[in-house]
Amino acid sequence: MKYKIETNFNNNYNKYQCTIIFVNKKYNNPTNIYNNIINEQINKYKFIKKKYNIHKIKSNINKNQDIFLIEYNKKKLKYNILKILITKSLKIIKKKKYKNIIFLINNLNDKKLNWKLFNIIHITENLIYKYLTFKTKKKKILNKNIYFETDKINILKYKKIINNSKIISSGINKTKNLCNTPPNICNSNYILNKTYKYIIGKNTKISYLNEKKMKKLSMNAYLSVNKASSNEIKMIKIKYNNNKNKKPLILIGKGLTFDSGGLSIKSSLNMHEMKYDMSGAAVVWGIMYIINKLKLKLNIIGILCCAENMINHNSTRPGDVIKSLSGKTIEIINTDAEGRLVLCDTLTYIKKYNPSTVITIATLTGACLIALGNNISGLISNNNKLAKKLIKSGKKTKDIIWQLPLYKKYNKYLQSNIADIKNCSNSNYAGTITSACFLNFFTEKYKWAHIDIAGTAWNKNGATGRTVYLIIKFITKYIKKNK
Ligand SMILES: [Zn+2]
């Protein structure tokens, strides 16, 4: 879609084949910005107080123009209502003859125009997203010219809002593309190439650790995960520094481009969905894409922990003991608990950057899905202030995360007879908490939060892009402003 601003609707009235107006009995407030014909139509309209009602009017000036009043009978225009109104609008504007569509949204004075502008674009781009790369018969993605009528005075501000919303939506949709790409194509090198292609800017530096470098450093926990894969292992680092004096915020994403479970093999039911086990890395990728495009003033490092958990004669065995980068030894109990192995060495590795805050994002535990379902992500942190800020950012972006305790007594589930720690508890209890207990064993003195997106990163329709916007909100609200 193309989104533009119209400041002279009265004179350009004929340009539009379709006009959409959201009306509400309480807040309907035609202003003199509209032309008289439109105002007359709104005034004539009899509210029928149905939850939602679509009323079509033929323009008596321009035969080629249709006007739609979409009535909503709610007190406030909240996000969920706006989403329904846009879903209904999209059904209308699908028609071929509508090329230029204008939304008259200035009459709804119950919410700021800024909020409406941002969210109409944000919701639309999310709703029209389709992953069509492998369809030989291509359906078309809806592409129209969408105009918003505003005043002239604040035009620069509105343009900025539209631009920001477009960039954030594009980052989320590119994240979804990366997640949806099949695992025979999307491997570590594929992600690295997409990073070079899309995340370019004068504040951005991309580098990576390959197998040779990781061996030299003794990142044995990370390396153990990829031992049976014919794809190369890559830890990709995206450094963005537009505020040299600040300690970096570090985001770490789990990037298992396929997770068979290894010798502790998963059941075949839904194993194809294990291509989404790189969603944490994709989310970090999307966030870095957006930050780079928005040129935010901050110091941040995004790390994509890419690997593939496969099976062959080199596979890591349950029972193996590995010496991690930290020097601590790990007894492998279950080779399907591999995400924490790539993350633990990374948590040690990043110490050298002296981070202010570290956030790990990972499809880490099936237990999170059992605890919170597929609508809520899990959150665990060693710092309550940080957790609260993330929860608030989730509420603001309609991306709910729920805090579970970092309950140290459960460390006992990870006690090993022969090594410093086990990679996995033998019990079925509190799997999400014990996974965080494991990671916490490797975190240093920095503030750390962990988001488990195993339940929310994808659904039956494909990748969701969840947590990208949440973290962007967190960054712009708290990190940029140094709160
Ligand atoms: Zn696994």
Side-chain angles (χ1 to χ4, degrees), residues 101-361:
I101 297 118
I102 185 151
F103 279 85
L104 302 182
I105 53 172
N106 229 345
N107 64 325
L108 302 170
N109 55 5
D110 54 341
K111 280 274 183 186
K112 285 178 190 161
L113 184 59
N114 301 356
W115 179 88
K116 282 180 276 178
L117 274 176
F118 183 93
N119 281 302
I120 289 177
I121 295 167
H122 183 68
I123 294 168
T124 303
E125 288 300 305
N126 187 29
L127 287 173
I128 62 170
Y129 172 84
K130 283 190 187 100
Y131 183 68
L132 300 170
T133 310
F134 295 94
K135 294 274 188 197
T136 47
K137 231 183 172 184
K138 295 252 189 287
K139 278 187 201 164
K140 272 195 179 158
I141 291 178
L142 206 59
N143 192 7
K144 306 272 184 174
N145 298 318
I146 306 273
Y147 290 80
F148 301 103
E149 169 263 358
T150 70
D151 57 75
K152 251 183 208 152
I153 308 157
N154 294 308
I155 188 157
L156 283 177
K157 186 176 87 181
Y158 298 137
K159 277 190 175 163
K160 202 175 167 198
I161 291 167
I162 288 178
N163 195 42
N164 283 359
S165 189
K166 271 164 61 182
I167 288 173
I168 291 171
S169 302
S170 149
I172 294 169
N173 284 348
K174 281 190 167 59
T175 301
K176 290 188 214 167
N177 280 343
L178 211 51
C179 294
N180 286 327
T181 306
N184 57 329
I185 291 163
C186 180
N187 53 36
S188 302
N189 282 335
Y190 179 88
I191 295 175
L192 180 64
N193 288 337
K194 291 283 171 195
T195 309
Y196 283 130
K197 185 171 174 191
Y198 286 109
I199 311 184
I200 310 160
K202 73 174 170 60
N203 299 312
T204 303
K205 266 189 202 150
I206 298 159
S207 59
Y208 61 86
L209 299 184
N210 57 13
E211 188 179 344
K212 202 174 151 196
K213 282 185 194 155
M214 287 166 105
K215 271 187 178 157
K216 215 175 160 189
L217 291 166
S218 300
M219 296 178 79
N220 301 315
Y222 193 142
L223 284 163
S224 73
V225 174
N226 205 70
K227 274 172 74 183
S229 170
S230 54
N231 286 311
E232 287 175 29
I233 194 167
K234 290 270 154 70
M235 188 182 104
I236 302 164
K237 300 181 278 182
I238 311 165
K239 288 187 196 167
Y240 174 93
N241 195 349
N242 191 15
N243 195 351
K244 298 253 176 339
N245 303 323
K246 282 266 168 287
K247 287 179 173 184
L249 161 70
I250 299 190
L251 307 176
I252 302 171
K254 173 184 172 186
L256 265 287
T257 57
F258 189 75
D259 178 16
S260 68
L263 288 176
S264 314
I265 192 166
K266 288 177 184 292
S267 75
S268 57
L269 182 74
N270 296 331
M271 202 204 260
H272 64 283
E273 291 185 341
M274 284 305 109
K275 69 172 182 177
Y276 295 119
D277 214 19
M278 41 62 78
S279 297
V283 164
V284 173
W285 187 97
I287 293 164
M288 297 310 290
Y289 169 88
I290 292 166
I291 286 169
N292 186 57
K293 285 262 178 209
L294 292 179
K295 299 189 175 71
L296 297 181
K297 198 162 172 53
L298 71 143
N299 184 4
I300 183 169
I301 303 173
I303 300 195
L304 321 180
C305 302
C306 299
E308 188 184 35
N309 189 15
M310 298 296 277
I311 302 170
N312 72 7
H313 58 280
N314 289 320
S315 292
T316 297
R317 289 161 289 252
D320 283 0
V321 171
I322 289 156
K323 193 170 187 182
S324 67
L325 175 61
S326 68
K328 292 167 183 165
T329 54
I330 304 164
E331 182 186 7
I332 305 297
I333 298 298
N334 188 322
T335 60
D336 194 14
E338 82 299 329
R340 59 197 74 182
L341 298 176
V342 301
L343 295 178
C344 77
D345 271 355
T346 309
L347 284 167
T348 308
Y349 178 85
I350 56 153
K351 196 173 66 175
K352 66 176 191 173
Y353 298 122
N354 191 21
S356 63
T357 303
V358 177
I359 302 174
T360 44
I361 304 161

